[in-house]
Amino acid sequence: MDVTNVPGIASGDRVVVSSQGLSSTGLVTVSGGNYTALVNLTAQPGTQDLLVVVVDSSFSLPPKAAKVLRSVNISSGGSSSYTFTASDVLAPANVSVNLPSGFSPTFGDAWVFYLSTDNKGWGIVGGTTGTSALNFSYRPVAGSGSGDRYVVMAVAGDSSNVLERFKGASGSSGSTITLALPNPWPANSLTVTRQAHPTVSGLSYADPSLKAYQIELEDSTLIYQVTLSKGWLGNATTYTVPDLSSQLTYTPFASGSTVHISITAVLSAANVLNLDSNDPASFGATTDISLVHATDQYTPSGIGSIQLP
């Protein structure tokens, strides 16, 4: 891989080649004024798109350059070469993340992923943590076009609410991506009984794009998850987690243990309950989903209740 034409290139930089299930790195060296890197791929044989990014020795984001290589035929013992040209280095674009009014997070991060049209070439082309995640740059991918897309993931949270949003964008534009994080749950809007299989009240998050609620209970021995679609729940705002221990042969949360609970409102204008975080093909340029998590913990005593967030 010849990266001589990448602005700011230096010996010790890295070239990263990635696709679904693959990420291989090569060290940039200089000889006679030419900067090159050898990347040894470990991938399944076949034809696929590959994302190539050039980063500094600290793997800082955004990368110095990003390029998609189309329909690369990978074979055992095979080899190929590519030279980055000046036109392969596109100007950085911007991501802007807006917080709800009055929400002061104690942590946050945001990332930009690129996905090629064959759903195999993908990787991170921008991202940061902390307050800088509200406004940062990503590197558009040279050679991208119809069917390619970016997905921005942003998250911010405090001691009781975690706000997330996933938003797609066209892979051919490389333009500014703006997204607003959803409103947190109102204070003390949810009530949870202190039981191994609790009753949750207050499932009435106000948003026209509400699709579902998710309830997750977890301790060191068990994770219990429930998804309730808005249509199934109807006008009800209370739900009791069913005791399925005999059918599923699990041991319920013990009295005196610490159960971590998360109650999530799932928001989207589209049907997103079929999204699979492990399947890049399920994320498109029009994907837009928000998650509002209220979190806390309790001890299953059977007495009283807690309020979230």
Side-chain angles (χ1 to χ4, degrees), residues 18-279:
S18 59
S19 69
Q20 190 174 11
L22 161 68
S23 181
S24 299
T25 304
L27 179 69
V28 175
T29 60
V30 59
S31 177
N34 293 321
Y35 292 83
T36 60
L38 176 64
V39 182
N40 293 313
L41 300 181
T42 302
Q44 293 295 322
T47 300
Q48 61 180 278
D49 294 345
L50 297 174
L51 176 67
V52 182
V53 299
V54 182
V55 294
D56 63 20
S57 58
S58 299
F59 292 86
S60 302
L61 294 173
K64 294 182 177 181
K67 170 76 174 182
V68 60
L69 304 183
R70 300 288 187 189
S71 301
V72 179
N73 186 14
I74 299 175
S75 61
S76 178
S79 64
S80 183
S81 62
Y82 183 79
T83 298
F84 268 80
T85 66
S87 62
D88 289 333
V89 184
L90 304 182
N94 192 63
V95 174
S96 178
V97 179
N98 299 319
L99 295 173
S101 177
F103 187 74
S104 300
T106 56
F107 67 90
D109 57 67
W111 308 96
V112 183
F113 300 87
Y114 167 83
L115 299 167
S116 71
T117 188
D118 76 343
N119 301 309
K120 294 183 179 180
W122 77 283
I124 297 175
V125 293
T128 188
T129 62
T131 57
S132 59
L134 297 178
N135 198 302
F136 65 99
S137 296
Y138 72 97
R139 181 72 64 178
V141 176
S144 62
S146 177
D148 297 350
R149 64 272 193 209
Y150 299 96
V151 176
V152 179
M153 187 280 287
V155 58
D158 59 16
S159 59
S160 56
N161 274 283
V162 179
L163 316 178
E164 289 186 85
R165 189 172 177 185
F166 299 82
K167 185 177 180 180
S170 170
S172 59
S173 60
S175 57
T176 296
I177 303 173
T178 301
L179 67 161
L181 291 180
N183 291 318
W185 284 90
N188 299 322
S189 57
L190 295 162
T191 301
V192 180
T193 58
R194 296 179 182 270
Q195 295 171 306
H197 298 88
T199 295
V200 178
S201 303
L203 297 172
S204 56
Y205 184 91
D207 192 289
S209 60
L210 176 71
K211 279 291 185 289
Y213 297 104
Q214 293 178 330
I215 301 171
E216 180 172 305
L217 308 166
E218 179 179 358
D219 72 355
S220 60
T221 63
L222 175 68
I223 298 176
Y224 196 137
Q225 297 175 320
V226 179
T227 298
L228 311 169
S229 71
K230 179 182 177 181
W232 183 88
L233 194 61
N235 294 324
T237 60
T238 298
Y239 177 79
T240 298
V241 175
D243 183 350
L244 301 176
S245 56
S246 60
Q247 296 93 327
L248 301 181
T249 64
Y250 66 85
T251 301
F253 300 110
S255 178
S257 64
T258 298
V259 176
H260 298 272
I261 181 169
S262 174
I263 302 174
T264 301
V266 182
L267 316 174
S268 180
N271 181 15
V272 294
L273 295 183
N274 61 347
L275 283 181
D276 181 356
S277 60
N278 296 313
D279 179 14

